[in-house]
Amino acid sequence: MTRRLRPVGLGFAEDAPTRLVFTARASAAPDAVYRALAEEVTGWPSWFRAVTLARPTRGGGGREVRLMGGVRFQETVMAADPGLRYAYRVDETNVPGVRALLEEWLLTPADHSPGTATAPGTAGTPGTLVRWTFAADGPPAFRLALTAARPGLGHSFRTAVRALDARLAARTRG
């Protein structure tokens, strides 16, 4: 059953009752990471294992996303700041219990200094610190379940960023 969620603004990423924040480093530059997130929406299933379908809607102002297990989202893009930030809120979903949901991807340049652990050939090149905020509201049982899912969501995020980084590196080599 599809449920309509409470519309929230970008500030929800900071003041939601439940906020899960994860970070990972990518060797690719912020502009390349941003393009993969915001402009190449249909490519998400190739690097984010949990995503089975992603497509832009409303001329790029929205997205339809499907996850493994049959989870569906209809989303509104809230921020599309090239090389800096991509955020969207969920308007409709079949997930029980959730009342509001916003995801924000912040991209910060991260220089790879010589001597730090980076991908081969990337020392001295700009990379990206990727910060993903998963902000949600729901009844206490939903918030507890989401908090319990934190390790799995973190693992999924880090795996996705590694896969995205490998995909972007292959493009520059090919």
Side-chain angles (χ1 to χ4, degrees), residues 141-165:
F142 170 80
R143 294 194 312 261
L144 181 64
L146 188 55
T147 300
R150 179 186 205 59
L153 285 170
H155 175 74
S156 181
F157 164 74
R158 287 185 300 278
T159 300
V161 171
R162 279 193 304 272
L164 173 60
D165 202 31

Side-chain angles (χ1 to χ4, degrees), residues 8-11 13 34 37-38 44 60-63 75-81 84-90 101-107 131-133:
V8 294
L10 287 171
Y34 175 84
L37 290 171
W44 278 55
R63 302 176 354 143
E75 303 169 338
T76 295
V77 174
M78 302 295 291
D81 304 321
L84 301 173
R85 174 173 63 169
Y86 186 56
Y88 42 88
R89 75 160 182 247
V90 175
L101 178 59
L102 178 100
E103 295 181 44
E104 179 182 60
W105 298 71
L106 293 178
L107 310 174
R131 186 178 99 176
W132 178 47
T133 301

